[in-house]
Amino acid sequence: MRTLLGTVLLLLTLTACGASTAGAPGGTGPETPTTSSSSPLPGSPTVAPPPSQTVGRPTQGIAPGDDVIAESQVDARSLPEGYPRSLTRSLDGKTVILQAEEGGCRRVSARVGDQTPQQVVVLIAVTAAKKGQMCPDYIREITVPLALAEPLGTRTVVLRQG
């Protein structure tokens, strides 16, 4: 009698498990296509649509309406190691935006130097704490807008210490 009862319970368990995987891939039953409904089921996570594809320019850290300045248009050869080199421009081209990180006792500033039909010079200053001075432990991203007399166009941006 015990053996018969155990066998019946085992069969019921297997039947129940088989029924729950009938529509699942790899299950024993016919597969049914899944359809998406316009309203999510209660308790189910909401899935956002995929982000739009932006071809040719990174999107992280760049403000909407700004455009990345190509590395080939930036001359940073004379800039010391550790200085910011990331630039964007406004869509009208009249503002160059330096993106940098500052934190603790490190401060970054920049100003426009000479502007010619061939190039725009941007002078960047990085100040740090005096040796032995204690500084808070944080980093933040900043943007430094630099107004130009004329749109940047194809001019080269020359980054220099200053």
Side-chain angles (χ1 to χ4, degrees):
M1 183 71 172
R2 255 190 198 168
T3 307
L4 180 60
L5 184 58
T7 304
V8 170
L9 287 174
L10 180 62
L11 286 173
L12 285 174
T13 305
L14 291 175
T15 305
C17 288
S20 68
T21 61
T28 57
E31 292 189 25
T32 56
T34 56
T35 59
S36 62
S37 63
S38 60
S39 61
L41 296 173
S44 65
T46 305
V47 178
S52 64
Q53 298 297 319
T54 304
V55 179
R57 69 183 268 216
T59 56
Q60 184 174 355
I62 298 171
D66 291 341
D67 199 10
V68 176
I69 297 175
E71 286 183 29
S72 61
Q73 196 174 351
V74 178
D75 178 0
R77 290 177 289 173
S78 66
L79 204 58
E81 187 68 32
Y83 274 60
R85 292 169 162 74
S86 179
L87 297 171
T88 59
R89 70 175 137 214
S90 61
L91 290 179
D92 66 2
K94 289 188 174 186
T95 304
V96 172
I97 299 121
L98 176 69
Q99 296 179 322
E101 289 183 347
E102 24 174 66
C105 295
R106 181 178 190 236
R107 299 286 177 252
V108 177
S109 62
R111 63 185 173 88
V112 177
D114 294 332
Q115 299 182 54
T116 68
Q118 292 80 26
Q119 70 181 19
V120 172
V121 176
V122 174
L123 302 168
I124 302 173
V126 176
T127 58
K130 296 176 185 174
K131 188 172 182 170
Q133 179 180 347
M134 293 184 63
C135 297
D137 187 19
Y138 73 91
I139 294 177
R140 67 180 178 143
E141 291 185 24
I142 64 162
T143 57
V144 181
L146 303 161
L148 303 178
E150 297 292 325
L152 181 62
T154 59
R155 295 187 288 174
T156 301
V157 179
V158 179
L159 302 178
R160 293 192 182 139
Q161 183 178 5

